[in-house]
Amino acid sequence: MDYQINETILYGVQICRIKSVEELSLSGEKKLYYVLQPVFHDSSIIYVPTNSRTLMSRMRRVLSAEEIRTLIHSISENEMEWIDNENKRKESCRMILVSGDRRALVGLIRTFSQKKKEQEAARKKFRASDDRILKEAERILYDEFAAVLNIRQEEVLPFILAELHAAENQ
């Protein structure tokens, strides 16, 4: 066990706080479990058996505040290639969303945001499915940023924009 009680972690793409480590008999036999409470959905509890490599592999440390700033400053370098085929685009994006790879999420957000602006400028509708993908990527990234930086989720975008503005003026 290298996670501590009260530590904030990612479980899959969900931000959780480790409430406790307990020996429980949930499946008929006693096992040691991490008891996780999702930060933004505090009415649920997640039990992760410490002896399950598969489930333990879903637990990861959150970025530090400095790592978040570094990621923000690399936004202009991160872009994914737009995939014209909608089904292939959805599948590629699903893989990114499930992986929780922050650089890939930043690239997805940047690419989809640019495509959305292009569509609006051409007076075309941005596909609803693409908008859902964009919103989900933002939610995943913004949840982590909000938890680490101790700000509200709606303050994340202004924080990112302020960081980018500060970097441009250096």
Side-chain angles (χ1 to χ4, degrees):
M1 294 189 299
D2 48 5
Y3 296 106
Q4 304 300 316
I5 294 172
N6 290 324
E7 184 175 355
T8 301
I9 57 127
L10 280 167
Y11 183 70
V13 294
Q14 197 163 180
I15 300 292
C16 297
R17 192 151 287 117
I18 299 175
K19 286 187 60 129
S20 62
V21 180
E22 300 178 20
E23 189 173 60
L24 301 168
S25 180
L26 298 180
S27 58
E29 63 180 271
K30 282 191 173 193
K31 293 181 189 174
L32 200 57
Y33 288 85
Y34 279 108
V35 181
L36 310 178
Q37 178 151 28
V39 171
F40 299 110
H41 306 282
D42 59 0
S43 62
S44 61
I45 298 288
I46 300 169
Y47 297 92
V48 182
T50 60
N51 68 345
S52 170
R53 284 184 170 208
T54 304
L55 295 176
M56 287 294 296
S57 72
R58 298 189 69 204
M59 289 176 64
R60 296 178 286 141
R61 297 206 185 294
V62 294
L63 296 172
S64 68
E66 188 54 39
E67 289 169 321
I68 287 173
R69 283 184 174 83
T70 300
L71 185 60
I72 290 168
H73 291 243
S74 72
I75 283 176
S76 63
E77 303 161 13
N78 290 309
E79 195 166 343
M80 69 177 272
E81 190 172 316
W82 184 260
I83 302 168
D84 287 325
N85 180 297
E86 184 180 3
N87 289 331
K88 288 182 181 177
R89 185 172 61 250
K90 281 182 185 177
E91 181 56 25
S92 176
C93 291
R94 188 190 67 75
M95 301 282 282
I96 291 170
L97 294 172
V98 169
S99 77
D101 178 324
R102 286 88 153 204
R103 287 202 179 279
L105 285 166
V106 166
L108 186 155
I109 291 167
R110 183 166 189 259
T111 301
F112 274 59
S113 295
Q114 286 177 336
K115 190 66 164 182
K116 185 175 184 176
K117 283 180 188 171
E118 289 170 15
Q119 294 290 90
E120 289 169 353
R123 299 190 188 277
K124 294 182 180 177
K125 280 200 155 232
F126 190 60
R127 297 181 76 80
S129 59
D130 291 333
D131 201 44
R132 280 191 298 274
I133 290 168
L134 175 59
K135 285 186 179 2
E136 180 63 9
E138 288 173 337
R139 185 200 60 77
I140 291 167
L141 209 58
Y142 291 8
D143 281 358
E144 182 173 2
F145 285 18
V148 171
L149 299 169
N150 200 26
I151 60 178
R152 293 188 325 266
Q153 290 152 307
E154 58 271 13
E155 295 174 308
V156 172
L157 183 57
F159 173 83
I160 291 171
L161 295 173
E163 282 290 314
L164 290 171
H165 183 72
E168 286 174 2
N169 293 326
Q170 285 184 353

